[in-house]
Amino acid sequence: MTAIQFRFAKKTEVPLILQFIRELAEYEGLIEEVIATEELLQEWLFEKKTAEVIFGVYENQIVGFALFFHNFSTFLGRSGMYLEDLYVRKKYRGRGFGKAFLTELAKIGVARGCGRLEWWCLDSNQPSIAFYLKMEAVPMDEWTVYRIAGSRLKELAQE
């Protein structure tokens, strides 16, 4: 098997990034939650540079993407990387591309001096959970994720 190659997304590929986001949301049964637009992605990814995207390329086809950004651990005293999305198209799954993406992200993180790589996974996504456990990722089940969003976020900002 020819090895998968990785490259960072370009500004002109915002439509493809949005397409991958929608495919992932469809896979997770969350398509109705996608309100991202090409304009928003252009602004936040390429103008404000708050996150980065890498594509996996196999036999001249883009087979998947990963979107990540840096966070900070006060306990480690250094940045980490947070993987927001990792998606490999269905016809390319089971070929080791998911592991290759995590390996590439680990390489990027280590090269940048990051202390860890983290992500969330839906409890209902059992295939991904099994994959992550096989990769020896440690579930952080003693932590609870909290969120303030939408109108409540705006209300809080006004208090």
Side-chain angles (χ1 to χ4, degrees), residues 37-131:
T37 63
E38 290 180 17
E39 294 77 21
L40 285 170
L41 294 175
Q42 179 72 35
E43 176 185 358
W44 287 92
L45 295 177
F46 294 101
E47 292 168 24
K48 293 183 178 181
K49 299 182 181 189
T50 58
E52 300 174 74
V53 173
I54 58 171
F55 288 124
V57 182
Y58 175 71
E59 294 182 345
N60 297 316
Q61 297 295 313
I62 297 177
V63 302
F65 88 120
L67 187 147
F68 66 96
F69 54 88
H70 289 272
N71 55 17
F72 192 84
S73 168
T74 55
F75 287 10
L76 295 178
R78 65 175 67 200
S79 285
M81 284 177 40
Y82 181 79
L83 173 60
E84 178 66 25
D85 289 329
L86 170 59
Y87 178 75
V88 175
R89 287 186 162 147
K90 186 175 183 175
K91 75 180 199 174
Y92 296 103
R93 293 181 197 149
R95 300 186 192 188
F97 295 153
K99 180 178 180 182
F101 265 102
L102 289 176
T103 300
E104 183 68 14
L105 291 165
K107 288 177 184 176
I108 293 168
V110 168
R112 293 178 181 183
C114 295
R116 59 186 173 204
L117 173 61
E118 299 176 305
W119 60 93
W120 297 349
C121 183
L122 291 171
D123 292 338
S124 61
N125 191 343
Q126 292 303 311
S128 293
I129 291 170
F131 166 69

Side-chain angles (χ1 to χ4, degrees), residues 17 48 63 70 138-140 151:
I17 295 168
K48 293 183 178 181
V63 302
H70 289 272
V138 178
M140 304 299 292
S151 62

